[in-house]
Amino acid sequence: QVQLVESGGGLVQAGGSLRLSCAASGRIFSINAMGWYRQAPGKQREWVARIFIGGSTNYADSVKGRFTISRDNAKNLVYLQMNNLKPEDTAVYYCNADRVKRDYYSAYENYWGQGTQVTVSS
């Protein structure tokens, strides 16, 4: 099994910053893409950002220019730097590891973390 553990959430005022971290552990051969999703109360989970093993990144329009995703492939870590936070960014943020191989011959798997709460006050 592979475990994902997020950290770094909290309460911040609008305009402030937070940095989320996610550590993947277990038997891991490779992780093709790591990303962040979020779910606000009463809403569906939505994609926020993704970074591929080669370093290319994608962002949702709602966070483009404010959030930056990065990763440390050697340590299986992914970060989300969130700047200029807005009240509408309030949500539980989930880390995702996609197309995970536990060894060279294994099938691709997908894993989720437990989530970390981010609350932005106005």
Side-chain angles (χ1 to χ4, degrees):
Q1 274 287 5
V2 173
Q3 295 80 38
L4 301 179
V5 178
E6 302 101 333
S7 60
L11 173 64
V12 65
Q13 288 190 328
S17 298
L18 282 174
R19 188 191 194 212
L20 305 183
S21 300
C22 173
S25 62
R27 198 177 91 190
I28 299 170
F29 175 73
S30 66
I31 304 176
N32 182 262
M34 299 189 78
W36 292 92
Y37 290 70
R38 65 187 182 186
Q39 187 166 18
K43 294 189 176 181
Q44 288 192 328
R45 189 174 299 189
E46 65 173 0
W47 168 72
V48 175
R50 179 188 301 117
I51 184 167
F52 294 90
I53 194 168
S56 60
T57 58
N58 302 117
Y59 296 92
D61 287 343
S62 59
V63 307
K64 207 172 288 184
R66 300 187 298 122
F67 291 10
T68 302
I69 190 170
S70 59
R71 68 187 281 181
D72 183 331
N73 290 332
K75 297 181 180 179
N76 293 318
L77 292 166
V78 65
Y79 306 98
L80 187 68
Q81 177 67 43
M82 305 185 294
N83 297 329
N84 190 22
L85 282 160
K86 304 175 180 180
E88 51 263 43
D89 294 318
T90 295
V92 177
Y93 283 70
Y94 296 91
C95 177
N96 175 261
D98 191 30
R99 294 174 69 82
V100 178
K101 290 179 72 71
R102 288 195 274 162
D103 58 57
Y104 184 82
Y105 299 101
S106 69
Y108 288 117
E109 298 174 338
N110 185 283
Y111 292 93
W112 291 92
Q114 300 266 20
T116 184
Q117 177 70 46
V118 171
T119 303
V120 184
S121 62
S122 56

